[in-house]
Amino acid sequence: MNKREFLEGFFTASTVTFGGHFMWQRISQQSLLLANSPIVDPRNTTLTAGENIASFQFTPIELKSVQPAEGIPIPAPVITPEKDPNIPFEVADLEEVQVESYLRKIRNFDAIFASDIYLDPRYEPLLLRTTQHLSRVERHIGHGHFNLMSFDEMLQHGRDFSQIGKFEADELNFIEEVFFANPHRYGFFGKKISAEITDFIPRHDVAKIANTGHYLLRGESETLYKQIKKDVGNEVILTSGVRSIVKQMHLFLAKAIEANGNLSRASRSLAPPGHSYHGVGDFDIGKIGYGAKNFTADFSKTAEYQKIARLGYVDIRYPTDNLFGVRFEPWHIKIT
Ligand SMILES: [Zn+2]
């Protein structure tokens, strides 16, 4: 698949309001500039010199100058909760006006706010290259298996298969920075679920769910899904089950590209790697034939969702106005 096809696949699958193309255009326009950059040298697949690897830093920047386009809500005031980055930030500690501004962002999750945090543009080529590399892994082992792939397996596959290619030091640094960076910096307040990047899902702990390409953790998740199907009907389908850190990483990086490097906006729609409850049993359900709308608030209008809401034993992870930094997700079933 060439780059253009890859991009088209990437963006047509999305339901975003704003096009994701300009970041890619900007990158090609900037390639000359970047050639002189001390940080990223696009002529090489790795960083220019050994010492740059040690000095690599995930440096989100704040673009206060971004002007809201027509129809985009008024930018929210900047929330600066972290005086000391070592002290964990609690949403409950926010002033009322800050909560209001926070909720405005969550309700308009796909809008761009002046206080949004962006990935430093110098790392955009690395973001693209790493995401494409992960796409090659996924294509090679298939979507189903990729849901379960561990970090170590990813490395191994890169080494073993020339069509994937070995992961370079700068890509691995980048992946680690994304995993270990505190997402409070860009406005995501959910809990860290997996502490280690090498955490993995044991194969004997999961069950393959027929006709979905997805897996569920045996026990509570599998039982709950079967019960929902029994009570609501066969129109209900698993749309995403258990997801490894590598899978979540790929989804998050793709979301960051789609959001033109706006990490705040990306994380309002998708938990950063290590923070997804899909790693511990949560799953997404949809209605057969409802397509991409299964992942929009419209899902809450379907008869299937209405039934689910009345069952009494089903809870959703991200209700409206939740304080975890993620939009309303009526499709995302919570496991206790
Ligand atoms: Zn989900």
Side-chain angles (χ1 to χ4, degrees):
M1 191 189 276
N2 66 31
K3 193 168 172 185
R4 179 164 292 278
E5 284 169 340
F6 167 74
L7 290 184
E8 279 167 3
F10 223 92
F11 293 117
T12 49
S14 82
T15 52
V16 292
T17 353
F18 304 97
H21 290 280
F22 79 72
M23 177 168 153
W24 295 86
Q25 283 164 2
R26 205 164 73 229
I27 284 158
S28 52
Q29 286 157 8
Q30 281 182 343
S31 58
L32 270 175
L33 273 174
L34 288 163
N36 297 318
S37 155
I39 294 177
V40 179
D41 183 350
R43 293 165 299 187
N44 294 331
T45 51
T46 55
L47 291 174
T48 44
E51 70 264 21
N52 285 337
I53 291 166
S55 67
F56 178 89
Q57 269 205 325
F58 182 71
T59 51
I61 53 165
E62 197 168 333
L63 290 189
K64 290 209 180 76
S65 59
V66 173
Q67 291 302 310
E70 218 180 315
I72 298 177
I74 301 157
V78 179
I79 297 179
T80 46
E82 285 180 298
K83 289 182 187 70
D84 178 348
N86 297 316
I87 299 171
F89 161 72
E90 294 292 333
V91 175
D93 298 340
L94 288 178
E95 307 275 332
E96 207 172 309
V97 60
Q98 291 179 311
V99 172
E100 268 313 300
S101 110
Y102 162 83
L103 290 178
R104 191 150 77 240
K105 289 182 176 186
I106 292 305
R107 289 170 195 151
N108 301 285
F109 61 91
D110 233 351
I112 300 164
F113 293 89
S115 53
D116 281 351
I117 302 293
Y118 284 69
L119 179 72
D120 187 318
R122 290 173 299 180
Y123 295 112
E124 286 176 359
L126 191 52
L127 167 64
L128 298 180
R129 180 149 52 81
T130 308
T131 310
Q132 287 169 323
H133 207 159
L134 286 167
S135 299
R136 289 205 296 281
V137 178
E138 180 164 21
R139 269 202 305 278
H140 182 79
I141 69 156
H143 300 294
H145 289 123
F146 192 67
N147 283 314
L148 303 177
M149 181 171 245
S150 73
F151 183 74
D152 291 333
E153 286 166 345
M154 175 199 88
L155 294 180
Q156 189 65 46
H157 274 70
R159 284 195 294 266
D160 288 352
F161 299 100
S162 59
Q163 57 272 54
I164 298 174
K166 185 173 157 282
F167 278 84
E168 301 293 347
D170 60 346
E171 294 174 305
L172 295 176
N173 271 297
F174 183 68
I175 286 174
E176 285 185 18
E177 287 293 339
V178 172
F179 184 81
F180 289 107
N182 185 347
H184 292 174
R185 286 158 71 185
Y186 46 83
F188 179 85
F189 305 119
K191 244 179 41 190
K192 186 124 194 185
I193 308 295
S194 304
E196 296 304 327
I197 199 165
T198 48
D199 286 352
F200 64 96
I201 304 155
R203 294 295 194 275
H204 55 259
D205 286 359
V206 300
K208 193 167 174 40
I209 305 302
N211 308 317
T212 67
H214 296 285
Y215 296 80
L216 284 176
L217 282 183
R218 293 186 192 280
E220 199 186 344
S221 302
E222 193 186 5
T223 308
L224 180 60
Y225 176 65
K226 284 183 175 162
Q227 191 63 45
I228 292 172
K229 273 190 81 85
K230 191 166 163 258
D231 291 343
V232 179
N234 273 329
E235 290 296 290
V236 173
I237 186 87
L238 180 70
T239 51
S240 186
V242 67
R243 299 201 294 244
S244 72
I245 287 165
V246 169
K247 171 70 181 182
Q248 192 73 16
M249 177 68 67
H250 188 229
L251 289 175
F252 186 72
L253 297 184
K255 198 53 112 174
I257 293 171
E258 190 182 284
N260 293 306
N262 183 336
L263 300 174
S264 305
R265 185 176 149 208
S267 71
R268 288 194 286 267
S269 294
L270 193 91
H275 293 78
S276 172
Y277 284 89
H278 280 268
V280 288
D282 280 16
F283 57 88
D284 298 333
I285 50 167
K287 174 187 162 71
I288 289 174
Y290 209 49
K293 283 175 98 177
N294 277 324
F295 295 100
T296 67
D298 283 351
F299 178 63
S300 65
K301 296 177 197 149
T302 62
E304 284 70 19
Y305 175 79
Q306 306 282 334
K307 256 192 195 173
I308 288 164
R310 284 196 298 267
L311 289 176
Y313 60 81
V314 182
D315 217 351
I316 59 171
R317 176 68 64 185
Y318 301 112
T320 47
D321 290 356
N322 70 77
L323 295 179
F324 307 120
V326 176
R327 64 181 161 165
F328 170 47
E329 292 195 346
W331 59 87
H332 183 122
I333 306 298
K334 177 181 171 182
I335 287 291
T336 45

